Amino acid sequence: PSVGGAQVNVLEVRGERGLRNTAIVHVSVVFRTPTHLWVLQVSYPEWGLFHTCACVCVCVFPQVHVKMADEAVCVGPAPTSKSYLNMDAIMDAIRQTGAQAVHPGYGFLSENKEFARRLISLLMTDSSLCVCLLGYPVMIKASAGGGGKGMRIAWSDDETREGFRFSSQEAASSFGDDRLLIEKYIDNPRHIEIQVLADKHGNALWLNERECSIQRRNQKVVEEAPSTFLDPATRRAMGEQAVSLAKAVQYSSAGTVEFLVDSKKNFYFLEMNTRLQVEHPITECITGLDLVQQMIRIAKGYKLQHKQEDIPINGWAIESRVYAEDPYKSFGLPSIGRLSQYEEPVRLSGVRVDSGIQEGSDISIYYDPMISKLVAYGASRADALKKMEAALDNYVIRGVTHNIPLLREIIVHPRFVAGDISTNFLPEVYPDGFKGHPLSAGDRRELLAAAAALHIAAQLRSQRFLGEQRVSAAAQERRHWELCLELEKSVHMLAVSHSRGTYTVEVDGEKVEVSGEWNLASALLPLSINGSHKVLQCLTRSPAGDISLQYLGTTFKVRVLSVLAASLSKHMPEKLPEDTSSILRSPMPGTVVGVAVKPGDTVAVGQEICVIEAMKMQNSMTAAKTAKVKSVHCKTGETVGEGDLLVELE
């Protein structure tokens, strides 16, 4: 065949040392060198590198390295410019042999940057070799950053290629450095980190641990300190190793050493973050140390003020990362907008909010979607959890979609309360995605009663002015109502009575008493429901009886109608849902960084159509069915909004 433009006979020698589909194939570019022969001779059988291939020119077929190789491919005539420096011919040989890794020896193209770039583009040489050494699954991650950006888990060769592409692009976009690390992925571990402090005089401390296992897209969502999992001996062992690492590299300042911990409390070094972590406030809560102050002291050259035996664990602290994200889409796709109303629950005892925004601030597509770090601190874990629950219920965020529904569900879930967690918590607990708070029969009665009481309270308020009836001759104020409420496609008939600020609502044969101040101008709606204190939020309320209530963290839409209006509503036409299999809409606002199809192309189910980048995270948009592309409504570099039409299929 023709290789690199030369008509030659290809010499092929196949050995019996393994199957190509289970081995990395060494393709050696340099001939007759000690390095080359060593690669062919050793082949690292203990690593699974069983199949080797030599690239040769016409004049060297009888050479030793050809005989040692399992396979040989000719890359051109003897002149090096037409063979060993012929990059196109060598790339053709790599494709022809299905090589997974290349060893360049030395000389010729071994230090050529363009050759290395083309190899990475074609083979991902480094990632393929690392995968062979580590075995699947592997974690591909940005070497220059963190926060879950530039990070992918791969379980196969195809996922490795895709992960390499997305991770390198995200790393370049987020950190200005597209270099990647590949490490063994430990399935179902805990992510536990140790906070360290080290000065410039050789002193270092470990400030206990933080449990960071609740994650989505490898980015932390809920953290706590200390961990429910560690015993004193494991805590000390992890702390001492973290301090040893800091001393070994002569580190000074605050830093975090991250570990993966398996079910038997074996721990594995992950990385060291040489900076202040997002979750540092929970360490400050349980130790009483101001980490920023300590960093400034260390930078000034002072010695540490404390010794290891001075570092306590006082109480329990939990942090929830509040994001401008839609938790119903992959546990959180970015949301943008202006904060039209914003109230932090800082008046509550034991609650701390670290944020950099205020009412009127804009959340854009260009930066991280974090709104704040919400921290609750208590004498015990149960105390901290109750304070976090109250803080989430009292947190007012309007203008952007946020992840408070997910955060609240996490902290009250039985598995989380019991401390039975891992980095797979979210996909295990919500295998079909997050759907919001599942209403029990009691929850449903409470929500319906609150909605009915709110509807009547608003009606009564509209009939009064300055505390008096608007029309002095009006009939005596009503005390009883019959209502029809629609919630989650179910219809409920309610009887409501009102006396001295308390509404008694009969729901499904059960009576529910609802009372409160009914300040309808307030963003918060504190109520007493059957004697239990609950804080709801009325997000929207229309004259047609449509009410959106935030209850137990989740927003529910309730329609409140009179019996007459309910009987007539069945005659109203309903809008048919859109056929989403034939169209692709953007699930979030962002920038189109790539379009892989054009009109007339045929796409298969799951095939990538385009890539949307939002807040430095890239998301692949795929086809929902096998069909021909009818039209493309986006182009690379274009900014799109949530719900914008991207592609139509026939």
Side-chain angles (χ1 to χ4, degrees):
S2 173
V3 181
Q7 296 295 325
V8 298
N9 292 321
V10 176
L11 171 67
E12 182 169 315
V13 182
R14 296 188 182 273
E16 299 179 354
R17 291 185 287 169
L19 300 175
R20 179 182 303 220
N21 62 355
T22 61
I24 281 185
V25 180
H26 277 278
V27 178
S28 189
V29 176
V30 183
F31 71 103
R32 294 180 297 182
T33 69
T35 299
H36 188 174
L37 295 178
W38 178 250
V39 170
L40 293 171
Q41 179 179 351
V42 177
S43 298
Y44 301 98
E46 68 274 19
W47 290 353
L49 310 183
F50 298 123
H51 193 91
T52 58
C53 175
C55 286
V56 299
C57 67
V58 174
C59 70
V60 297
F61 274 71
Q63 297 298 328
V64 174
H65 71 288
V66 176
K67 296 179 180 179
M68 292 177 62
D70 293 291
E71 183 177 4
V73 176
C74 183
V75 292
T80 58
S81 62
K82 298 181 179 180
S83 54
Y84 295 109
L85 290 177
N86 187 342
M87 211 177 294
D88 290 336
I90 293 170
M91 298 302 292
D92 286 342
I94 293 168
R95 294 187 187 94
Q96 179 182 334
T97 59
Q100 295 172 284
V102 173
H103 195 295
Y106 53 76
F108 297 119
L109 298 174
S110 63
E111 297 180 80
N112 187 291
K113 291 183 179 180
E114 174 62 17
F115 183 55
R117 186 195 65 78
R118 291 179 65 172
L119 284 177
I120 290 173
S121 177
L122 177 65
L123 299 176
M124 298 181 302
T125 305
D126 294 339
S127 62
S128 297
L129 179 58
C130 288
V131 168
C132 181
L133 303 181
L134 298 172
Y136 285 115
V138 295
M139 173 76 78
I140 305 169
K141 58 194 291 189
S143 65
K149 294 180 175 64
M151 188 178 292
R152 293 290 192 279
I153 298 168
W155 295 79
S156 66
D157 290 347
D158 288 342
E159 290 184 8
T160 300
R161 294 185 185 93
E162 183 179 82
F164 187 92
R165 176 165 65 97
F166 282 125
S167 292
S168 59
Q169 290 172 357
E170 286 180 7
S173 176
S174 299
F175 313 115
D177 186 341
D178 63 358
R179 290 178 296 171
L180 301 175
L181 299 173
I182 296 183
E183 61 193 32
K184 178 67 176 176
Y185 175 68
I186 301 174
D187 195 18
N188 213 39
R190 287 175 179 259
H191 185 141
I192 300 177
E193 61 191 28
I194 300 291
Q195 177 72 57
V196 297
L197 272 180
D199 62 24
K200 298 179 180 179
H201 305 278
N203 304 306
L205 301 171
W206 49 275
L207 308 183
N208 303 309
E209 79 279 3
R210 295 187 289 257
E211 172 76 70
C212 307
S213 297
I214 305 298
Q215 304 179 4
R216 56 99 180 89
R217 295 195 302 276
N218 306 303
Q219 191 173 37
K220 302 162 190 173
V221 178
V222 176
E223 303 101 340
E224 60 181 311
S227 169
T228 60
F229 188 63
L230 295 190
D231 54 61
T234 307
R235 177 178 294 116
R236 175 172 292 278
M238 293 176 69
E240 290 175 349
Q241 289 203 21
V243 164
S244 296
L245 172 60
K247 288 182 175 180
V249 298
Q250 298 181 341
Y251 182 72
S252 64
S253 192
T256 300
V257 181
E258 302 195 1
F259 297 93
L260 294 180
V261 185
D262 67 19
S263 59
K264 297 181 180 179
K265 294 188 172 71
N266 298 310
F267 54 91
Y268 307 87
F269 171 73
L270 188 61
E271 64 185 7
M272 181 176 183
N273 287 313
T274 54
R275 56 177 169 81
L276 197 65
Q277 294 281 89
V278 169
E279 58 273 19
H280 80 273
I282 56 178
T283 295
E284 295 182 336
C285 288
I286 67 167
T287 62
L289 295 180
D290 185 329
L291 295 186
V292 175
Q293 181 189 56
Q294 295 299 317
M295 294 175 75
I296 295 172
R297 283 180 51 82
I298 291 169
K300 185 67 175 176
Y302 293 119
K303 290 184 178 181
L304 293 178
Q305 296 174 295
H306 305 87
K307 296 189 179 300
Q308 190 61 59
E309 56 269 21
D310 300 330
I311 306 303
I313 297 180
N314 290 328
W316 213 283
I318 300 172
E319 176 181 284
S320 293
R321 298 192 184 194
V322 181
Y323 286 106
E325 291 182 337
D326 186 345
Y328 301 96
K329 297 178 180 178
S330 301
F331 300 112
L333 291 183
S335 169
I336 64 170
R338 176 167 294 174
L339 293 170
S340 57
Q341 192 170 9
Y342 183 75
E343 297 177 16
E344 297 174 347
V346 291
R347 70 185 186 282
L348 300 179
S349 174
V351 173
R352 166 179 168 177
V353 183
D354 289 7
S355 67
I357 49 91
Q358 60 186 0
E359 191 169 297
S361 293
D362 287 317
I363 307 295
S364 75
I365 65 173
Y366 300 107
Y367 304 106
D368 190 274
M370 182 180 289
I371 294 175
S372 73
K373 303 181 293 184
L374 178 62
V375 179
Y377 172 70
S380 65
R381 187 169 187 263
D383 186 25
L385 284 172
K386 291 302 293 182
K387 289 180 177 179
M388 178 59 73
E389 191 177 333
L392 291 168
D393 285 341
N394 284 269
Y395 207 145
V396 177
I397 303 173
R398 305 279 197 277
V400 297
T401 305
H402 54 77
N403 69 330
I404 283 180
L406 176 62
L407 295 173
R408 199 185 187 285
E409 281 303 294
I410 290 172
I411 66 166
V412 300
H413 194 278
R415 272 189 58 179
F416 183 83
V417 173
D420 177 19
I421 61 176
S422 74
T423 56
N424 289 329
F425 178 87
L426 289 180
E428 287 176 357
V429 172
Y430 308 105
D432 299 321
F434 180 67
K435 307 297 183 184
H437 177 73
L439 291 172
S440 66
D443 293 339
R444 186 176 297 274
R445 286 193 295 270
E446 286 189 358
L447 177 58
L448 290 169
L454 175 62
H455 178 77
I456 299 301
Q459 278 192 350
L460 294 178
R461 189 187 69 163
S462 67
Q463 296 171 7
R464 307 182 72 84
F465 180 72
L466 298 179
E468 301 292 335
Q469 289 288 103
R470 286 182 179 271
V471 181
S472 58
Q476 187 176 1
E477 190 176 271
R478 288 179 62 183
R479 297 292 180 184
H480 302 279
W481 295 263
E482 297 288 333
L483 299 175
C484 178
L485 273 70
E486 298 176 8
L487 171 63
E488 295 182 335
K489 299 182 179 180
S490 61
V491 178
H492 304 263
M493 302 303 297
L494 278 65
V496 184
S497 60
H498 176 231
S499 176
R500 298 179 181 179
T502 298
Y503 295 87
T504 302
V505 185
E506 186 173 334
V507 187
D508 300 333
E510 300 278 347
K511 288 188 176 181
V512 181
E513 290 192 347
V514 184
S515 60
E517 295 182 2
W518 303 108
N519 180 2
L520 303 184
S522 172
L524 298 174
L525 189 63
L527 298 176
S528 174
I529 303 178
N530 281 344
S532 177
H533 179 70
K534 298 287 176 66
V535 177
L536 286 72
Q537 297 185 34
C538 181
L539 307 181
T540 60
R541 183 166 50 84
S542 75
D546 294 318
I547 301 175
S548 291
L549 284 175
Q550 184 175 306
Y551 170 71
L552 302 179
T554 296
T555 299
F556 294 94
K557 295 182 178 181
V558 185
R559 171 168 286 186
V560 185
L561 301 172
S562 67
V563 175
L564 175 60
S567 66
L568 297 174
S569 66
K570 62 184 179 182
H571 300 292
M572 299 295 291
E574 293 186 5
K575 183 179 180 180
L576 295 176
E578 189 175 45
D579 179 12
T580 56
S581 66
S582 297
I583 59 171
L584 180 66
R585 294 188 180 275
S586 178
M588 63 198 161
T591 302
V592 180
V593 297
V595 180
V597 299
K598 61 183 182 299
D601 288 351
T602 298
V603 295
V605 176
Q607 181 177 331
E608 181 177 285
I609 291 180
C610 62
V611 178
I612 306 294
E613 181 179 275
M615 299 173 181
K616 307 301 181 184
M617 298 292 286
Q618 294 195 354
N619 300 270
S620 176
M621 304 290 104
T622 59
K625 67 178 183 180
T626 299
K628 184 176 287 186
V629 177
K630 180 180 179 181
S631 57
V632 177
H633 298 270
C634 62
K635 58 184 178 180
T636 301
E638 192 174 60
T639 300
V640 295
E642 182 179 356
D644 284 1
L645 182 61
L646 302 175
V647 174
E648 287 184 273
L649 303 178
E650 293 183 356

